[in-house]
Amino acid sequence: MATIFELVETALGTISPAETFSLAPYKGSLPNRFIVHQLIASPPEQHADGNETERSYLVQVTIWDKAGVPSESGIDTAMLAAGFMKGNIVLLPQDPQTHHYGLAVDYMYLESKE
């Protein structure tokens, strides 16, 4: 089974152009549009015979764009096709240093460990 990080990277890798970065410190100039993601929570959902059988993951994908408030439609298509369910959408304030506009979208994934 792929890790949740591999599942997200694979899904986001289908977007063109794929501008995905980790949340590690980035050195250099940022592109006009880019995407970051992070794991928010991963609680166990079910146990049987003392073993975990299901775990849910809450992943937040944030789209940053200098052209204005970004659309999540391309990300939705990729994430839903990979088995994620869409959750909250949050508009972020424009970054005063980079002038990027941000949109954060939550996605949930239920992993069965059978």
Side-chain angles (χ1 to χ4, degrees):
M1 174 68 189
T3 68
I4 190 65
F5 304 105
E6 292 167 334
L7 291 171
V8 173
E9 288 288 332
T10 299
L12 295 178
T14 64
I15 300 169
S16 181
E19 295 282 0
T20 306
F21 297 103
S22 70
L23 289 178
Y26 183 74
K27 296 185 173 127
S29 62
L30 293 170
N32 287 336
R33 178 180 166 88
F34 66 97
I35 301 164
V36 294
H37 60 86
Q38 63 182 333
L39 178 63
I40 303 297
S42 62
E45 297 293 343
Q46 179 175 295
H47 290 81
D49 296 329
N51 295 311
E52 181 181 313
T53 58
E54 289 185 347
R55 177 173 291 271
S56 65
Y57 295 92
L58 174 59
V59 175
Q60 187 173 73
V61 177
T62 306
I63 311 116
W64 294 97
D65 198 327
K66 281 189 175 181
V69 176
S71 167
E72 78 274 10
S73 63
I75 282 99
D76 275 356
T77 301
M79 295 295 282
L80 296 175
F84 288 82
M85 298 171 287
K86 188 174 181 179
N88 291 333
I89 302 171
V90 178
L91 178 63
L92 303 173
Q94 184 182 27
D95 186 288
Q97 293 178 323
T98 68
H99 305 290
H100 284 86
Y101 295 88
L103 190 69
V105 185
D106 291 343
Y107 293 95
M108 286 79 58
Y109 186 85
L110 183 62
E111 176 186 57
S112 179
K113 298 185 175 211
E114 294 179 41

